[in-house]
Amino acid sequence: MLYILALLIGVVAGLRTMTAPAVVAWGAWLGWLPVAGTWAAFMGHWVAVGIFTVLAIVELVADQLPSTPSRKVPQQFGARIVSGAFTGAVIGATAGATIGGLIAGAIGAVIGTLGGAELRKRLAITLGKDLPAALIEDAVAITGGLLIVAAVA
């Protein structure tokens, strides 16, 4: 079950690079993710929550701009894989399975990036505009991330 949740948080990272670590930081800070005593304990600190939340908000705003680069360009794709691997590792750390969580999170990020790009393209065509598609993607990523973190608790 833990690896499935790590995979799913990776999918969230594939949709929104910084939403996944923000949600995981909030979950750790609220005590939903038992990271105390692990290498990931810093995620439960208010500083981590603040930094990742600001970065997630900046990403959400920047993604609404018309000049946002494709998520498939190497830098964006790589950042999403790193974010998925990191957040998957944090979830894995709650049960002493850091490496397994890291791998599952990275795989999930690849799935989320490629699948999310295709879905967003189709939604934008169907809706006639990219902005509503981006907002739907934001809602799915944020809600999904919160549900995943709550399921770990």
Side-chain angles (χ1 to χ4, degrees):
M1 179 68 169
L2 183 76
Y3 294 124
I4 292 170
L5 295 173
L7 178 89
L8 291 174
I9 201 70
V11 171
V12 170
L15 294 173
R16 289 282 174 257
T17 311
M18 298 313 300
T19 297
V23 168
V24 167
W26 275 97
W29 187 63
L30 292 171
W32 296 353
L33 293 176
V35 294
T38 70
W39 65 269
F42 72 94
M43 288 297 282
H45 195 276
W46 67 269
V47 173
V49 172
I51 290 170
F52 285 121
T53 300
V54 167
L55 290 173
I57 291 168
V58 168
E59 180 187 23
L60 291 174
V61 170
D63 191 54
Q64 314 310 320
L65 302 174
S67 62
T68 303
S70 167
R71 70 182 71 208
K72 293 181 183 178
V73 296
Q75 298 87 347
Q76 292 248 354
F77 195 37
R80 291 170 190 272
I81 292 171
V82 169
S83 177
F86 170 70
T87 54
V90 171
I91 287 178
T94 64
T98 299
I99 300 297
L102 183 141
I103 293 168
I107 292 168
V110 171
I111 294 167
T113 300
L114 299 177
E118 184 62 30
L119 180 61
R120 181 165 171 178
K121 182 174 78 174
R122 289 181 186 205
L123 271 173
I125 291 168
T126 302
L127 299 172
K129 293 181 180 179
D130 188 51
L131 181 59
L135 295 174
I136 291 169
E137 188 177 44
D138 294 344
V140 168
I142 293 167
T143 305
L146 290 172
L147 291 173
I148 293 161
V149 170
V152 173

